[in-house]
Amino acid sequence: MAVSYNRLWKLLIDKGMTKTDMRIAAGISTSVLANMGKNENVSLETLTRIATVMECGIDDILEITSSSQERE
């Protein structure tokens, strides 16, 4: 299973926010944001903070895909 945060990046564009704006508002570190940029796993607490700031659900932030879909 692989994680994709493409939904979050699109949501940021729709709301006119930068990654830095979101990072500061959610109180997450630059290393966590870097991990998300590499589609690595982050804690549920981090996802909850981002969802609260973005006023959305966790499913609006990430998508879980199978490894075969990730390669395509």
Side-chain angles (χ1 to χ4, degrees):
M1 294 281 193
V3 175
S4 172
Y5 298 100
N6 288 339
R7 291 180 179 181
L8 174 59
W9 312 140
K10 290 175 186 173
L11 186 60
L12 286 173
I13 292 168
D14 292 344
K15 293 194 177 229
M17 290 181 76
T18 65
K19 290 180 182 180
T20 302
D21 293 337
M22 184 268 307
R23 181 188 67 78
I24 293 168
I28 60 174
S29 68
T30 54
S31 61
V32 169
L33 187 60
N35 288 344
M36 293 177 75
K38 296 182 255 180
N39 287 327
E40 295 179 358
N41 294 329
V42 297
S43 72
L44 182 57
E45 179 182 352
T46 297
L47 297 174
T48 303
R49 287 180 180 190
I50 293 169
T52 300
V53 166
M54 300 302 292
E55 299 177 340
C56 66
I58 291 177
D59 60 330
D60 296 320
I61 294 172
L62 64 85
E63 180 178 18
I64 299 173
T65 60
S66 69
S67 297
S68 62
Q69 287 178 331
E70 188 69 21
R71 285 185 230 136
E72 292 177 354

